[in-house]
Amino acid sequence: MITELHVRGLAGVPEVQEGDDLARVLADAVHASGTALSDGDVLVVTSKIVSKAEGRSRRMDREDAITAETERVVARAGHTRIVQTRQGLVMAAAGVDASNVDPGTVLLLPVSYT
């Protein structure tokens, strides 16, 4: 039984690039932090860095990327589309992320979600 939960950020993770060995990048950051992982620890990683490591960056319009990743539209609310992706996930904007990337660039969901 879990009796407590501690959450902390991991400093020192570099900008992830296509082809990076994500496990190695994270292990290096953990080692550099001086904190060891223990049995039962959980390391949470954003889909964004997995997408970057997998090369799921595309130079295209965000709305076009959402359309390309959509299997079917589940609901609409204004400009927001809730869709089922080709991977079978239901979410807003097909998981397409255009934040903190170069203008005209989007990140698609990682392939490893499937």
Side-chain angles (χ1 to χ4, degrees):
M1 174 191 331
I2 297 174
T3 58
E4 44 184 345
L5 174 68
H6 299 269
V7 178
R8 63 179 173 191
L10 179 59
V13 177
E15 184 70 28
V16 173
Q17 304 295 321
E18 180 176 355
D20 282 353
D21 179 344
L22 199 48
R24 173 58 37 213
V25 168
L26 296 172
D28 289 348
V30 167
H31 178 72
S33 75
T35 303
L37 295 177
S38 301
D39 280 346
D41 284 354
V42 176
L43 185 63
V44 177
V45 180
T46 65
S47 62
K48 176 176 275 198
I49 67 170
V50 177
S51 292
K52 287 181 176 184
E54 288 184 352
R56 300 279 291 155
S57 173
R58 301 290 184 272
R59 297 282 303 161
M60 64 189 305
D61 176 75
R62 182 175 183 270
E63 292 303 314
D64 291 341
I66 294 168
T67 299
E69 293 297 302
T70 296
E71 181 70 25
R72 72 182 179 92
V73 175
V74 176
R76 290 180 190 269
H79 294 292
T80 302
R81 288 182 274 173
I82 307 300
V83 304
Q84 180 178 355
T85 68
R86 291 182 286 120
Q87 298 159 313
L89 303 170
V90 175
M91 59 183 53
V96 173
D97 186 347
S99 63
N100 301 313
V101 293
D102 292 334
T105 302
V106 296
L107 291 171
L108 307 179
L109 284 177
V111 174
S112 57
Y113 271 151
T114 58

